[in-house]
Amino acid sequence: MDKLSSLAKFKSSCPFLGRTKTSTLRTLCTSASPRYPSLSRLTEKATHCPVMGPALHLRSSQMVAGFASIAGTADVDRIHQHKGIFPEPTDANIAKCPHASKAISAARKADDLAKIKKARDAKVAAIPSTSQAAAAPAGCPFHAAAAAQETKQKVHTPASGYDYEQFYVSELEKKHQDASYRYFNNINRVASKFPIAHTGDPKDEVEVWCANDYLGMGNNPVVLETMHRTLDAYGHGAGGTRNIAGNTGMHLALEDDLAALHRKPAALVFSSCYVANDATLTTLGSKLPGCIYFSDSMNHASMIQGMRHSGAKRVIFKHNDLADLESKLAQYPKETPKIITFESVYSMCGSIGPIAEICDLAKQYGALTFLDEVHAVGLYGPRGAGVAEHLDWDAHKRAGNSPDPVKGSVMDRIDIITGTLGKAYGAIGGYIAGSTDFVDMIRSYAAGFIFTTSLPPANIAGARASISYQKEYLGDRQLQQINVRELKSRFEALDIPVVPGPSHIVPVLVGDAALAKHASDTLLAQHNVYVQSINYPTVARGEERLRFTVTPGHNLDQLVRVVHAVDKTFIELGIKRTSDWVKEGGRANVGVPGAKPVQPIWTEEHLGLLDGTAPKVLRAGQKGVVDARAVRITREKFNALLGPVVEAPVKVVGAVSTPDLTLSSATLHAPVPVAVAA
């Protein structure tokens, strides 16, 4: 803060400081330069200033000389000896000496500043002499306008060719100017303390409120146990592509399980669902003659890229607008190949696609349906197969774990389903599911599948264990949705603007990119709450937000604290409340006059609130449920490849027997009874 106060004094005299937002200056001050680690990013920028650049170089030299001038004097030597630092100087004991540490730091800064000056001098030397005079003032903000006018019709190219580095810098500057530059926080989730993580300092712990590991399966004990067993049995990597040494029994078994999950004849695993969407849509669009894609305006980037890469025509319809979709479908003959691409849960706004109605239109106009269930698999339906299963809850519950389709159900009517293993299932990878010939065609033609190394067996096994566990245990999904209701209710009671939606996504509208980033930084720095800001192009400009994701592992005490932290941050930063958006006519479906309340897709019956089987929200210190039956069934699935789990020998201490197990029935918490098919 002292640095920012000092900088504020010079805003009126320095054009760069004057036009740069305080939040951006704060980030530049506190983040290290990736190329010169001893310098802040602000210092690196300052080296390009004709005023500050030479001053920094001179000052660094003076600092090094100042430290060196007293080094080695008798007084300093006696102090070092008294503290036990010399006569054996090492990195460890030098760190004890403030003088030595500062001297080293100053020397490193001086070295980095010298490197920058040398690189800049080399660039200037490479410019033809006739251009150097014009190039000098262009770097100075005071002369920028005059230089721009003078060189309006000229393009200076270095003698060695195109200036690629300057191109990179200018593109990055655009991101900084519109506040859409992305900052990646160092967040390390602690498996034993979910949902706690630590920052770059292992002692600095924070609560994670934006992870896509929606159910905490990334640290589920039977998942970790299965991965350890697989790692011991098969090693780390897969060894090659699926066609060359990377097609293991683990991969084939996972694909069988995924096909059965969606009650489809076949499935295919990719390295991620981005790749699955891109490769599948690229292949389909390029192979189907005259294919036309009909794409929801809020589709994920992976789907958009796949359609673009295919070269097929793309017609965009308004988000979830069936009338607009039908009007566009009606413009083309029924025999023209068409594919309607859409999602079940839209992850940034929390809306849910009208799946059944889109299936009706697809049948009427002769189109295929391509449904992305990335943010729904594991989270919806009695077995976790997604929203398409959830819409026919009772029928799928009765069918149990049969791989056969439930005829006439919404999931049966969908031609192609894509999903991820990296969100609710807590693993990595993506997949497609559909007819046998469709999957075989993609397997045979999709470059994104053919020419990439197969996922490691341990990751595949972890994903398969996670799917198996969630098919057998409903409680995690129920508790997550109960926590979502609790958080939304508490936010709304404090006039905090939650974008309305029927799903588990909790988007809090901010409406400004820089302010959203500032809010995220404030929550992390002052409240130990990590929630990422979402800006353009992920969401539209002016609809920037904080995207909260709640898990069954968040306890009530954490829910109360995060609401208080967000409320305090809104007050401190002056962020608009729901009532403010109402006065402005609404934004992003927040504060829209006459809007009807949005009902959650999970009913009270689904949650077990009517029959008393709903799981209880955790309190501080309580452990989450690990379902013994789901663990047993999951273990049995791996008997063929890994053998049965061998119980560790019992240690006898006096008259007390204690099982020496990482995971055993003795250590499992008794599950809350839930109604779920076997």
Side-chain angles (χ1 to χ4, degrees), residues 1 5 20 37 67 84 91 102 106 110 133 137 194 303 327 341 346-348 350 422 450 475 501 513 524 537 591 618:
M1 293 303 295
S5 300
T20 304
F67 283 113
D91 289 343
K102 289 180 179 178
F194 180 84
M303 301 166 74
S327 70
T341 63
Y346 291 85
S347 64
M348 292 302 146
I450 297 169
L524 185 61
L618 299 176

Side-chain angles (χ1 to χ4, degrees), residues 262-343:
H262 294 288
R263 306 193 201 275
K264 298 292 184 186
L268 190 67
V269 171
F270 290 77
S271 55
S272 73
C273 199
Y274 188 105
V275 176
N277 283 346
D278 184 11
T280 302
L281 291 171
T282 297
T283 304
L284 280 176
S286 62
K287 292 295 181 183
L288 279 170
C291 176
I292 301 173
Y293 280 115
F294 294 82
S295 174
D296 188 288
S297 62
M298 291 188 68
N299 274 343
H300 189 262
S302 59
M303 301 166 74
I304 295 169
Q305 285 298 95
M307 289 181 277
R308 284 176 176 168
H309 290 159
S310 74
K313 182 174 182 178
R314 183 164 59 105
V315 177
I316 300 172
F317 62 93
K318 296 174 186 177
H319 178 54
N320 281 354
D321 191 325
L322 294 167
D324 189 47
L325 171 59
E326 182 169 15
S327 70
K328 289 176 166 60
L329 286 168
Q331 296 175 22
Y332 300 91
K334 188 170 185 178
E335 59 270 17
T336 298
K338 311 174 196 68
I339 303 174
I340 305 173
T341 63
F342 61 111
E343 301 180 35

Side-chain angles (χ1 to χ4, degrees), residues 12 94 141 282 297 363 391 399 431 614 632 650 657:
S12 59
I94 284 175
T282 297
S297 62
K363 182 178 181 180
L391 295 173
Y431 63 89
R632 174 179 55 78
V650 174
S657 298

Side-chain angles (χ1 to χ4, degrees), residues 27 104 119 229 439 566 584 586:
T27 302
I104 290 172
R229 295 175 66 207
V439 169
V566 172
E584 297 185 12

Side-chain angles (χ1 to χ4, degrees), residues 193-204:
K193 295 183 178 181
F194 180 84
I196 300 298
H198 68 73
T199 64
D201 178 2
K203 296 179 182 178
D204 182 22

Side-chain angles (χ1 to χ4, degrees), residues 13-52:
S13 56
C14 174
F16 173 77
L17 295 178
R19 70 171 183 263
T20 304
K21 293 181 180 179
T22 302
S23 58
T24 303
L25 290 175
R26 178 182 291 105
T27 302
L28 293 173
C29 280
T30 56
S31 56
S33 163
R35 287 181 288 184
Y36 307 102
S38 72
L39 307 178
S40 70
R41 292 178 58 233
L42 183 62
T43 302
E44 183 186 1
K45 279 185 172 291
T47 61
H48 297 288
C49 172
V51 177
M52 288 300 298

